[in-house]
Amino acid sequence: MGLQIDQEVLAELALLNTGGTESEPPPVGDVTTRRANSKRTVDQLMATRPPITGVAVQHHAVDTDDGATLTLHWYHATTEQPPGSAVLYLHGGGMIFGMRELGGLYDWLTRRYVAASGVPMLLVDYRTAPESAHPVPVHDCFAALEWLHGHAGELGVDPARVAVMGDSAGGALAAAVCLMARDRGGPAIAQQLLVYPMLDDRTALPDPELVPFVTWTYDDNITGWQALLGQSAGAHGVSSYAAPARASDVSRLPPTYIDVGDLDIFRDEDVAYARRLAAAGVPTELHVHPGCPHAFEGMAPNAAVSRRVIADRVRRLQII
């Protein structure tokens, strides 16, 4: 029968596209148009989202080794006692979209996770490519992890119960931060939650079975990796801190949760990474959701499969 999209997801995607104007997809390398399109889509998504109550946010800053100042957003529940655990949350965006384009969506998503789980989250506004190429984004995220550990006492956090979570490009950065923390001997990470992570810069040849369904296209992916890595994208010698699928050793990493849709161009690399983790002795939970393209739960939050995947992530957050 072949691959098919989930009908509830399809119905919500159709509503999202209602009233939009069809246009030619931007060519490979056109970051500016992709940023404008992303912001327009996020604005449309957020126009109908109900507010999430019971969550407060405080804003902090951290200085990086290269002289930049990053904004950190600390989300915590106001309706219950803090559990002692915490999450460093790294937003997606294909390595090229930042909070300027995606801020409304990630504010809503972070509030949703905190309200549902009770676990506070630190959302970091890391710098993005091509203006800030590798290794700047992962170093920014690692600086945020160090800040969270360094301020654990005043935030009411047990340093042994800090997890790292990210989706898409943020999933790659979360995996890279865990590799870096292992290699540097800390800070401690209790768990990594990788949501359809963008792990492999060598994902370039289109799968004709997936092409009709993709929401993050192969051209988008090439654009993101080239922005991050330049001419080295797809070549030999790329660091695992840029593309975690390149890691030769995935042992001694934190217990891992991975989910991805079977209509996502990251499906195979995510399944392969989960298999390698399990073979290396890392406790690994993997979900592949039939009928789901990239970022399906963000664009179709009312679909039954979206509610299930959020419940699975919240379950993992609550056991940190």
Side-chain angles (χ1 to χ4, degrees), residues 66-251:
D66 62 352
T69 300
L70 307 178
T71 301
L72 308 174
H73 310 279
W74 176 248
Y75 291 81
H76 56 95
T78 60
T79 55
E80 54 189 283
Q81 287 293 109
S85 56
V87 175
L88 173 64
Y89 187 29
L90 308 177
H91 69 76
M95 305 295 180
I96 55 176
F97 306 146
M99 293 295 281
R100 180 183 304 179
E101 293 82 24
L102 306 177
L105 175 61
Y106 279 96
D107 175 77
W108 189 88
L109 284 172
T110 307
R111 290 176 185 273
R112 183 180 187 185
Y113 286 129
V114 172
S117 69
V119 178
M121 289 186 158
L122 185 72
L123 177 66
V124 55
D125 188 6
Y126 62 85
R127 289 170 286 176
T128 56
E131 295 84 359
S132 298
H134 178 74
V136 172
V138 68
H139 284 176
D140 285 356
C141 296
F142 195 81
L145 175 67
E146 291 181 313
W147 185 94
L148 180 52
H149 270 266
H151 292 78
E154 65 195 70
L155 296 172
V157 173
D158 179 349
R161 297 177 62 197
V162 172
V164 180
M165 178 178 182
D167 54 86
S168 192
L173 290 164
V177 163
C178 289
L179 288 165
M180 190 175 288
R182 178 200 64 183
D183 296 344
R184 294 184 178 185
I189 299 173
Q191 186 179 155
Q192 60 176 342
L193 294 94
L194 311 179
V195 174
Y196 35 76
M198 178 180 175
L199 298 173
D200 199 335
D201 60 303
R202 297 162 295 188
T203 304
L205 295 177
D207 180 343
E209 292 290 328
L210 293 180
V211 167
F213 305 107
V214 297
T215 53
W216 176 254
T217 70
Y218 289 91
D219 282 355
D220 294 335
N221 206 45
I222 294 169
T223 298
W225 282 117
Q226 288 183 350
L228 185 73
L229 298 172
Q231 293 303 308
S232 66
H236 293 294
V238 169
S239 169
S240 61
Y241 298 154
R246 300 278 198 148
S248 59
D249 177 11
V250 295
S251 65

Side-chain angles (χ1 to χ4, degrees), residues 252-296:
R252 298 178 291 109
L253 288 167
T256 302
Y257 169 94
I258 298 176
D259 70 50
V260 65
D262 73 345
L263 305 182
D264 194 319
I265 70 171
F266 300 149
R267 177 197 63 202
D268 293 349
E269 65 199 60
D270 293 352
V271 171
Y273 198 65
R275 182 182 296 115
R276 292 184 62 207
L277 288 166
V282 177
T284 303
E285 178 179 349
L286 169 69
H287 297 263
V288 180
H289 293 282
C292 295
H294 192 69
F296 65 95

Side-chain angles (χ1 to χ4, degrees), residues 19-97:
T21 56
E22 292 294 327
S23 60
E24 287 294 316
V28 169
D30 185 349
V31 171
T32 300
T33 300
R34 284 179 169 83
R35 284 174 172 169
N37 291 346
S38 176
K39 188 174 189 313
R40 184 166 54 249
T41 299
V42 167
D43 289 346
Q44 184 181 355
L45 281 170
M46 300 318 300
T48 59
R49 296 287 168 90
I52 295 175
T53 59
V55 177
V57 59
Q58 297 169 329
H59 307 287
H60 302 277
V62 61
D63 295 328
T64 65
D65 290 341
D66 62 352
T69 300
L70 307 178
T71 301
L72 308 174
H73 310 279
W74 176 248
Y75 291 81
H76 56 95
T78 60
T79 55
E80 54 189 283
Q81 287 293 109
S85 56
V87 175
L88 173 64
Y89 187 29
L90 308 177
H91 69 76
M95 305 295 180
I96 55 176
F97 306 146

Side-chain angles (χ1 to χ4, degrees), residues 11-22 44:
E12 290 202 58
L13 291 178
L15 287 174
L16 178 63
N17 293 328
T18 298
T21 56
E22 292 294 327
Q44 184 181 355

